[in-house]
């Protein structure tokens, strides 16, 4: 587990990670851990693709088991990618500055269940101020 956490953190930093959250405790009925990596690979203002264009690019990379679509969150149009154990939200930033990436991982419990619902609620709580 330590190697996986270290590698995740190192890959995140190399790709512009801003925050990394790891849930280390859970009630007896829940499987853990869950993690959240937040990154923002900045683009020159106005050069970010539309969410639909970005979803098309990511769909080609995500693999056949992934669900890739564009959804409306309170923070705006978002590219959503869901696999059995990961949830990714690429939220278009105001002013065309790129996409804020929320990368959730629930390796033990999967994304269909209470931990997946928690990750979804966190993504839906994002607002620009």
């Amino acid at each position: 587990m330590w190697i996986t956490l270290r590698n995740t953190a190192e890959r995140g930093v190399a790709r512009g990670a801003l925050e990394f959250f790891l849930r280390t405790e859970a009630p007896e009925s829940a499987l853990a851990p869950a993690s959240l990596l937040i990154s923002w690979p900045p683009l020159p203002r106005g050069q970010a693709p539309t969410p639909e264009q970005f979803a098309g690019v990511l769909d080609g990379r995500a693999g056949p088991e992934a669900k890739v679509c564009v959804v409306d969150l309170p923070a705006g149009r978002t590219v959503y990618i869901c696999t059995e154990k990961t949830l990714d939200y690429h939220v278009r930033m105001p002013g065309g500055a790129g996409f804020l990436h929320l990368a959730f991982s629930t390796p033990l419990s999967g994304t269909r269940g209470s931990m997946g619902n928690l990750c979804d609620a966190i993504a839906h709580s994002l607002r620009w101020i």
Side-chain angles (χ1 to χ4, degrees), residues 17-109:
L18 303 173
E19 300 283 344
F20 180 71
F21 300 94
L22 175 67
R23 182 177 179 204
T24 58
E25 77 287 335
E28 288 181 32
S29 63
L31 296 173
S35 65
L36 166 58
L37 178 70
I38 301 172
S39 61
W40 173 46
L43 295 171
R45 190 166 293 278
Q47 291 190 10
T50 66
E52 291 75 15
Q53 292 168 331
F54 196 38
V57 170
L58 294 176
D59 190 31
R61 297 180 188 170
E65 76 287 348
K67 173 187 174 186
V68 179
C69 59
V70 177
V71 297
D72 287 313
L73 295 184
R77 302 283 288 160
T78 300
V79 179
Y80 169 77
I81 304 170
C82 179
T83 68
E84 183 181 339
K85 298 183 183 235
T86 63
L87 292 169
D88 289 276
Y89 296 84
H90 298 270
V91 184
R92 186 172 168 104
M93 298 186 66
F99 289 84
L100 184 70
H101 182 197
L102 307 176
F104 295 94
S105 178
T106 56
L108 299 177
S109 61

Side-chain angles (χ1 to χ4, degrees), residues 87 109-120:
L87 292 169
S109 61
T111 56
R112 290 167 184 57
S114 60
M115 290 305 293
N117 292 341
L118 175 63
C119 296
D120 192 52

